[in-house]
Structures are given as structure tokens and as C-alpha cells.
Amino acid sequence: MTIADNIILDNLQVEQKIRRIAFQIYESNSNEEEIIIAGIAENGYLFAEKVHEVLSNISPLKVELCKVYIDKKNPINAITTSLTVNEYKNKSLVLVDDVLNSGTTLIYAVKHFLEVPLKRFKTAVLVNRNHKKYPVKADFKGISLSTSIKEHVVVEFNKNKTLVYLM
């Protein structure tokens, strides 16, 4: 079987999902002046950049990007961000990742941001899988999938094209 046989979302569908998520984020934060889009490195940040671009075009909000660095193999290690705590303190923040699988990465990233007073805190993912071992959910999601535990969702961000497929 080839990748083409396993495509879940093609580039156009990914763009539509990103646009819809950006509108949902705007609707949820329409009373705010500023919002932080915090993307988990690496693919989560690439997804966050795309959401940031659309959100900046459709809303008057000041949209700031933040890169979240987490050791995915050992998530209890210290988490760092490209912004200082004071830059996102008491602001509305959306934590973004490409795929929500077991919830491990997202729950540890959520824990990091819960140590800072935020005005509003939401999560967004492009693909939400139903294999969570932690009680974490995505507030905004592109697509929800029920897959087998052995299957792997791959999100490929290329310069002009994004694909989501199952391996």
C-alpha cells in the first residue's frame, strides 16, 4: 500500500480545517485584544504558524506565536518556550499540536502553562485520535479518528503542501 492509498486529509482539506479552527479560535476570543498561539515543537509549531497566519488575516486580534519545547521521550523534563512567562501571563493562550494521540505531550504542556495565570486557556489539534491515556481533550480539532493502536498518523508539512496520512 502506498501513502496515496492512506491519505486522510489532502492539502485542500488541511487548509479548510486550519481556516475553520482559526475562525473558532477567533469566535472564542472575540472579546480579547491579544492572543498567544503556542505550538509544540516541531510539527505542532508548524501547524501553529498556519493557524497564526489565517487568524491574523481574519481578525483584528494581535496574534503572537510561541514555540513550546518539550522532550517527547521524557516529558517530565523542564519545558521551555520562546516567549517569557511575562509575555503570555494574564493573556488568552491556545496550545497547539498536530496530533493528539495518547495525550502525553499535551498534558505535560498543559501542566507547564497552568503554573502561570492565564486569562483563557484552550487547546487545538489538527488530528484527534481516540487512544488517550490522560484526561486531556482538544477544544478545537480538525478531524477526529478512531484508529487501531498500531496505526500511526503522520502529518507532513512541506513548503507548499500538507498531507495527513495513516501508516
Side-chain angles (χ1 to χ4, degrees):
M1 218 184 298
T2 66
I3 290 173
D5 296 330
N6 294 332
I7 292 177
I8 298 166
L9 298 172
D10 62 25
N11 190 63
L12 177 62
Q13 292 168 318
V14 170
E15 287 178 3
Q16 290 168 338
K17 303 291 184 199
I18 290 168
R19 188 164 179 76
R20 183 173 50 80
I21 288 169
F23 270 104
Q24 289 173 325
I25 291 170
Y26 176 41
E27 287 172 5
S28 175
N29 292 280
S30 60
N31 295 335
E32 302 298 324
E33 292 180 16
E34 184 176 1
I35 186 168
I36 309 296
I37 305 295
I40 298 173
E42 289 299 318
N43 267 7
Y45 185 73
L46 296 173
F47 178 47
E49 286 179 317
K50 292 179 178 291
V51 170
H52 171 270
E53 181 181 344
V54 174
L55 192 55
S56 296
N57 288 330
I58 64 167
S59 78
L61 298 172
K62 178 185 177 199
V63 186
E64 183 101 27
L65 260 175
C66 174
K67 195 170 196 175
V68 180
Y69 301 95
I70 184 168
D71 180 353
K72 292 185 181 187
K73 293 195 186 325
N74 196 1
I76 62 169
N77 287 342
I79 294 171
T80 59
T81 60
S82 62
L83 297 179
T84 65
V85 169
N86 285 334
E87 290 175 292
Y88 55 81
K89 185 177 181 181
N90 297 317
K91 294 184 181 166
S92 184
L93 187 138
V94 179
L95 180 63
V96 177
D97 205 1
D98 61 336
V99 179
L100 173 53
N101 189 16
S102 69
T104 303
T105 304
L106 209 57
I107 199 85
Y108 281 98
V110 165
K111 179 187 174 291
H112 170 79
F113 286 105
L114 289 178
E115 294 173 2
V116 177
L118 296 172
K119 200 170 188 181
R120 174 178 284 138
F121 185 72
K122 299 283 186 181
T123 56
V125 296
L126 182 58
V127 180
N128 182 38
R129 293 183 67 199
N130 297 320
H131 300 295
K132 294 174 202 66
K133 69 179 185 182
Y134 292 101
V136 64
K137 72 175 187 79
D139 297 296
F140 312 109
K141 51 192 161 264
I143 187 171
S144 290
L145 292 177
S146 291
T147 58
S148 78
I149 199 77
K150 293 180 182 178
E151 292 174 307
H152 185 70
V153 175
V154 178
V155 180
E156 248 179 38
F157 290 101
N158 295 314
K159 189 168 182 99
N160 298 319
K161 184 167 103 173
T162 304
L163 286 177
V164 178
Y165 57 91
L166 206 54
M167 302 260 318

